[in-house]
Amino acid sequence: MRTVPRSRLLLLELVADLFIFALCAAVCVALLLQAKSMSAESTRLTQAVYIAQDAAERLRAGETTYDGYFADGRPDTSDLDPLLKSTLPDYRVTYREEGDRVEIGVCPYADPEGTPVYTLTVWKEAAP
C-alpha cells in the first residue's frame, strides 16, 4: 500500500487553512463595509434631526427660517443665487403648512427628488 508523504499532507492542510482564512476575511470585509454604510446613514439622519429641530424652534419663536443648512448645522444665510455661491448647503429644508400644523422636511441638497430624510410636524404657536 502506498502512503502519502507528510510534506504533502502538511501542504494540503496549509492550503485548507489559507482558504478558510480568506473566506473569514471576505466576510469581515463585507461586514465592515456594511457598518460604514450604516454609520453614514445614521450620521445623516442625526444631522437631519438637529436641523429640523433648529428650524422648528426658529419657526415657533418667530425668527427667520432658512431653506438651506450646512453639514455642521449652520444655516445658509446667504441671499445669493445658488449658481453664484462658492459652497452649496448640504441640506434643504421644506415647510408645508396644514391648518394649525407645519410639516418640516429635511432632505439632502444633492437629492434631485427631494425625498426627506426626516420629517417633523409641529403645532403653530404665536411668538410671545
Side-chain angles (χ1 to χ4, degrees), residues 69-70 76 82-83 85-90 109:
Y69 281 79
F70 295 102
D76 180 21
L83 297 175
K85 293 181 183 180
S86 59
T87 57
L88 291 174
D90 297 301
Y109 197 81

Side-chain angles (χ1 to χ4, degrees), residues 46-61:
T46 300
Q47 191 62 34
V49 169
Y50 290 149
I51 289 170
Q53 287 176 346
D54 181 66
E57 289 171 4
R58 287 177 182 277
L59 186 69
R60 291 179 83 179

